[in-house]
Amino acid sequence: MDWLERAAKLKQWAGNGTHAPHKPLLLLYALGRFQEDADGELRYTAVEEDLKRLLTEYGPANRTTPACPFHHLTSDGVWEVRTDRGPGSPGSGVGALRSTGATGRLAPELRAALRREPSLLGGMARMLLDQHFPPSLHGELCEAVGLALEPAETEHLASAGRRQRDRGMRELVLTAYEYQCAFCGYDGRIGAVPVGLEAAHVRWWAFEGPADVDNGLCLCALHHKLFDKGVLGVGDGHRILVSQRFVGRSATAREHVTALAGRPLIGPQPGTRPIAAAHRSWHSSQVFHGTPRPASVA
């Protein structure tokens, strides 16, 4: 049984690049808990708040519940659920999972495979990260689910059949935006080398985002992270969106985040294609959180 392939083909809501990471987040969480305690079970009532936080932080913009993936992941052959009455899930209802003492854990065959081949865990985790999340979130997501990965030990497993990133995109995007953050204008260098500037995909690479300049933004490290987490977006007229869900009381937060609302992007330089409307629309519907703040008044 090819566990990497099975992890890569989790049944999910589909259509138009919908970002639906409910099952991948649960599986990553389960892998992290397996790494900590290979024989442990995850009682729904004990992990419900952890899973809610993960979905809030890394899930879709619309509110959701961890009860659905807790139940539905059983259909993929990587997860099992038991209740006080015996094997089998009571359904996807929150009340049923709570009242029946439902517990879940990785399927027995998968647990056995992970014991035989410890590097498989890292390979599955990297497969899930690459398929469902941008690279800017990988490190903190591993911390959030308690995963400790060794790159040299696992990279070869996850790379099988994986789309390869275009390493030339960074230079193309940074050049298009003249080596400055499109949100704040930051343009730091050490000597001749840009530092703290990154090429951000608007439509994520994991969701068939092309390695084209009109799907890219040159952003500083802070604004890249906030863009990928749905705090910032790009609206009509290529003006910056700031989510009303973002709260920052300090003068620094106001200056570097909330004050950006309604400002035009800096760049790209003349003769370069701006962000394509289709990619802006994807980010606004799949990543950006909630309603944008009104434009800041100077």
Side-chain angles (χ1 to χ4, degrees):
M1 183 175 297
D2 190 334
W3 292 106
L4 287 176
E5 183 178 359
R6 186 162 287 192
K9 294 181 177 179
L10 297 178
K11 302 185 186 80
Q12 295 176 268
W13 298 328
N16 298 319
T18 301
H19 180 218
H22 308 70
K23 287 182 178 180
L25 282 170
L26 175 56
L27 187 49
L28 284 167
Y29 183 82
L31 289 170
R33 295 295 292 267
F34 178 88
Q35 200 172 46
E36 178 185 324
D37 178 7
D39 296 315
E41 292 186 326
L42 306 181
R43 183 172 289 273
Y44 181 77
T45 52
V47 301
E48 184 177 13
E49 290 305 313
D50 282 353
L51 297 176
K52 279 183 180 178
R53 280 192 292 271
L54 286 173
L55 285 169
T56 299
E57 190 85 0
Y58 303 102
N62 57 304
R63 301 292 184 182
T64 187
T65 169
C68 288
F70 200 92
H71 164 71
H72 289 294
L73 188 59
T74 57
S75 66
D76 295 281
V78 296
W79 176 253
E80 66 174 6
V81 174
R82 298 178 60 89
T83 68
D84 295 338
R85 299 191 293 266
S89 172
S92 60
V94 173
L97 289 168
R98 290 173 178 169
S99 65
T100 59
T103 61
R105 61 176 177 174
L106 299 175
E109 298 87 352
L110 176 53
R111 298 200 306 272
L114 291 170
R115 289 188 176 96
R116 287 193 307 270
E117 188 180 0
S119 62
L120 175 61
L121 185 147
M124 289 183 69
R126 291 187 184 282
M127 178 76 73
L128 292 165
L129 290 168
D130 276 344
Q131 281 202 323
H132 302 284
F133 305 96
S136 67
L137 302 184
H138 289 186
E140 67 173 68
L141 186 45
C142 284
E143 290 185 19
V145 298
L147 274 169
L149 303 182
E150 298 293 335
E153 182 182 17
T154 61
E155 183 63 26
H156 72 284
L157 280 173
S159 63
R162 195 169 60 182
R163 279 179 69 212
Q164 296 300 308
R165 298 178 187 274
D166 185 341
R167 298 183 184 277
M169 181 183 176
R170 179 179 184 275
E171 187 63 28
L172 290 173
V173 170
L174 266 61
T175 299
Y177 286 84
E178 299 182 282
Y179 293 87
Q180 59 182 333
C181 176
F183 286 171
C184 69
Y186 169 83
D187 60 355
R189 293 172 180 261
I190 296 178
V193 180
V195 60
L197 287 172
E198 301 167 353
H201 281 73
V202 179
R203 183 184 179 114
W204 292 352
W205 174 89
F207 288 83
E208 305 302 324
D212 298 331
V213 170
D214 66 1
N215 186 43
L217 276 174
C218 176
L219 297 176
C220 67
L222 170 65
H223 290 132
H224 188 179
K225 178 63 68 68
L226 296 177
F227 186 66
D228 282 346
K229 297 196 83 165
V231 171
L232 299 174
V234 179
D236 294 338
H238 293 86
R239 292 186 175 272
I240 300 169
L241 304 178
V242 179
S243 173
Q244 287 187 348
R245 295 183 186 174
F246 175 80
V247 176
R249 296 183 176 86
S250 68
T252 301
R254 291 194 296 272
E255 177 185 355
H256 293 289
V257 184
T258 53
L260 297 176
R263 289 185 188 176
L265 291 180
I266 301 170
Q269 60 177 286
T272 302
R273 297 192 309 275
I275 302 170
H279 303 324
R280 286 194 292 110
S281 176
W282 182 89
H283 187 275
S284 294
S285 65
Q286 300 300 320
V287 180
F288 187 75
H289 278 271
T291 304
R293 291 171 175 262
S296 297
V297 178

